[in-house]
Structure formats: C-alpha cells, structure tokens
Amino acid sequence: MNYYFRSFKTKSYWVYALLSVDSVKTFMAVVGGIWLFVDILSTIKIIEKDKLSLWVLIPLAILGILVVVFTRRPVKKIIYKYPGQDLKIEVCIGDLFEVPGQKVISTNTTFDTDIASGIISSRSLQGQFTEKFYPGNLPALDVELDRQLSNLQHTIINKEAGKTKRYNYGTTVKLNLSGQLFYWFAMADLNHSNTAKTTLKNVYESLDGLWDYIETKGEKLDTVIPLIGSGLGRLTTSRKKLIAIIAQSFINASEQNIFSDKLVIVIHPGDVEKSGLNLFEVKDLLHHYLP
C-alpha cells in the first residue's frame, strides 16, 4: 500500500484535513459561495430560497467536506519559498539517491566505514552509499577520506575497534563520483563500543560546519540532505522539529552569501510510516518556525 493510501488511514491526516484552520476556511468558502449563488438565483426569481428545506444543508455540507478532502489530499512534496531571498526549501518523501542535486551524507567523527564488522550499519544511509558506490572496494573509500582529512585537526581516542582519529563536528569531505557530488560530514560520535550517538547541540554545530564547507569549497547546486538524526543518531526530537532545524540552519547560513538556491530535505518512506508524518503539517510548521 503506497504513501497516499496509508495517509488516508491515519488519524493525523483526517485531523489535519478536516479540523485545521485552513480546512475550516476552505469549507466555509465553499458553503458560503454556494449559498451566495442561491441568493442570486433567489433574487432573480429562479428559485424561492425561503421555501428550501433545511435538508438541503446536508448535501451542501457534504460537498464542502469533499472539496476540503480533495484540496488537502496527501502529497509527497512541499515547497517553502523564503520571503525576501531567492531561497527554496523542499521537503519530499523518497530515496535520497534518486533526487537530483549534490547530496549530503552524515557520518561519525572518526569517519569509520567498516560495514562487515558491524561498526557501520548496512541499513544506514552511509552503509547504502558504500555498498552502492564502493562495492567490495572499501579501501579505496578510506584512502580518499584519509587524503582529505590528512591536514585537519584531530584527537586520538580509544575504541575497541575501528579508526581512532576523532575530528570535530561538522568536518566535511567532498566525494566526486562520476560527476555526482557527495558531502560527508561528521555529526555523531562513536563510543568505545562503536555505538553512535549525537545531540541537538551536535546537530547545530555539524550543520554549521557543513554549510561553511559547501560555501567555501563546494558547488552552487541544489543541495539534498536526509532527515539527519532521526535514525541511528538516536535523537528523540520529533521529525517535524528536525526538518525545521535543518531548514533554519540553512537559511541562517545563507544570510550573507547564498551558496545554494534550493535545499531538499529527503524523508525515507519508512520514517513517514513510523512517525505518521504529514507534509501539510510540515509546511505549516515551516511558515511559523522560519522568519
């Protein structure tokens, strides 16, 4: 069953579709418009409004509800245009690898890559990236990461397995794979047993480092980022709030210099199913959360 049909089965969709302020406005506009038309017909003596039965209100209400549901039907993409600047925030449901633009992958502060030993989950976006672009050739990925990280500040930490050079949150490297650009940025720490964890403070710091890197060393292309922190990062913050945080961070970083005209925040369909996320609510949140 696809996203649309699942949405119709969720309570959150129907609450939003029928009980939100915009839905009530739409309902009143439809009913009011029809009643105005009835008034006009009554004025020109085509019908006698005073003789209409109260039962006529039932189909009128049903029509209003049908229009509301049709205009508030589930969508898989919403776009927020930031006023005053040529910036767009798009939030969509889909596969990050299929969305056009330069793409962002969050990683750990040690830039560990080993999937076979279980340090990196094959289910994570980083794991999917590795298996898609470096199948059976993990050393080549590590060589490129080490080359770009070689002159950056780091500390040595103690872990039971994997890499031990820890870099700052927001440290970013750029991978150019047959014309496809990917930015790996450090957002989560691995503890001694290689369990990933991050905090909202780390997310803010990491995003600042990412945007700074793209502005100074990246390309001015549409930037595609996943809903970071909602999976293996173990954040308890709601997905809606995470979307708003990412969008706000991007807009703040663009105040002095626009380094990307459009940010696309991609939500995995599994995340939507788990959280019952409704993109109409997300759009309203962006309008209220962003300046």
Side-chain angles (χ1 to χ4, degrees):
M1 184 178 295
N2 65 29
Y3 166 71
Y4 295 103
F5 291 112
R6 285 200 309 270
S7 296
F8 283 123
K9 294 179 66 177
T10 63
K11 179 182 177 181
S12 62
Y13 167 74
W14 288 103
V15 168
Y16 184 76
L18 299 180
L19 301 180
S20 68
V21 173
D22 285 344
S23 297
V24 173
K25 287 180 179 178
T26 300
F27 176 82
M28 296 303 294
V30 171
V31 173
I34 295 176
W35 201 247
L36 176 62
F37 183 66
V38 170
D39 275 337
I40 294 173
L41 294 179
S42 178
T43 300
I44 59 179
K45 309 299 183 181
I46 294 179
I47 62 173
E48 295 184 45
K49 186 176 68 173
D50 294 340
K51 294 184 179 181
L52 291 177
S53 169
L54 289 178
W55 289 104
V56 76
L57 296 177
I58 295 178
L60 191 61
I62 291 175
L63 179 60
I65 292 173
L66 289 175
V67 172
V68 167
V69 171
F70 178 78
T71 57
R72 308 292 280 182
R73 64 191 185 279
V75 295
K76 297 185 75 172
K77 178 176 71 174
I78 59 100
I79 295 178
Y80 170 83
K81 295 182 180 180
Y82 183 64
Q85 286 183 299
D86 192 20
L87 288 177
K88 292 181 182 178
I89 309 288
E90 178 180 313
V91 183
C92 69
I93 299 168
D95 182 348
L96 177 132
F97 297 110
E98 300 298 325
V99 179
Q102 55 186 0
K103 299 172 179 61
V104 171
I105 306 286
S106 63
T107 187
N108 50 82
T109 53
T110 48
F111 285 82
D112 272 283
T113 58
D114 192 354
I115 297 174
S117 65
I119 295 177
I120 302 301
S121 170
S122 60
R123 296 182 293 108
S124 69
L125 197 58
Q126 178 183 334
Q128 295 174 46
F129 169 91
T130 303
E131 293 183 344
K132 182 179 180 68
F133 294 99
Y134 290 90
N137 195 18
L138 189 59
L141 173 58
D142 284 330
V143 167
E144 179 58 24
L145 293 177
D146 290 342
R147 182 185 71 81
Q148 296 194 44
L149 295 168
S150 60
N151 296 321
L152 300 183
Q153 182 180 358
H154 63 272
T155 57
I156 303 299
I157 62 173
N158 180 31
K159 292 201 287 116
E160 65 182 19
K163 301 178 182 181
T164 57
K165 290 182 179 180
R166 182 193 177 280
Y167 298 87
N168 295 331
Y169 288 108
T171 298
T172 304
V173 299
K174 179 170 66 174
L175 301 172
N176 192 331
L177 302 171
S178 302
Q180 294 192 66
L181 291 179
F182 291 88
Y183 299 92
W184 276 34
F185 79 116
M187 193 198 72
D189 269 329
L190 296 181
N191 64 14
H192 182 265
S193 58
N194 283 311
T195 299
K197 186 176 181 180
T198 194
T199 65
L200 272 183
K201 180 180 178 182
N202 301 151
V203 170
Y204 282 112
E205 185 178 350
S206 301
L207 286 171
D208 286 344
L210 170 68
W211 306 138
D212 182 68
Y213 184 95
I214 295 177
E215 178 182 352
T216 57
K217 300 178 182 178
E219 304 296 330
K220 191 178 180 183
L221 302 170
D222 292 350
T223 302
V224 183
I225 189 171
L227 188 54
I228 57 174
S230 61
L232 300 177
R234 292 175 167 78
L235 284 177
T236 57
T237 308
S238 72
R239 286 161 173 80
K240 284 192 296 183
K241 182 65 179 296
L242 286 173
I243 292 170
I245 287 172
I246 296 169
Q248 180 69 74
S249 175
F250 173 74
I251 287 174
N252 289 345
S254 303
E255 284 184 354
Q256 301 301 321
N257 182 31
I258 296 179
F259 52 89
S260 181
D261 294 327
K262 181 180 179 182
L263 177 70
V264 184
I265 303 172
V266 181
I267 311 168
H268 190 274
D271 260 356
V272 177
E273 189 166 357
K274 289 177 184 176
S275 63
L277 194 67
N278 187 306
L279 290 189
F280 285 116
E281 293 175 337
V282 170
K283 189 169 186 177
D284 280 351
L285 179 66
L286 292 180
H287 278 287
H288 287 90
Y289 190 89
L290 301 179

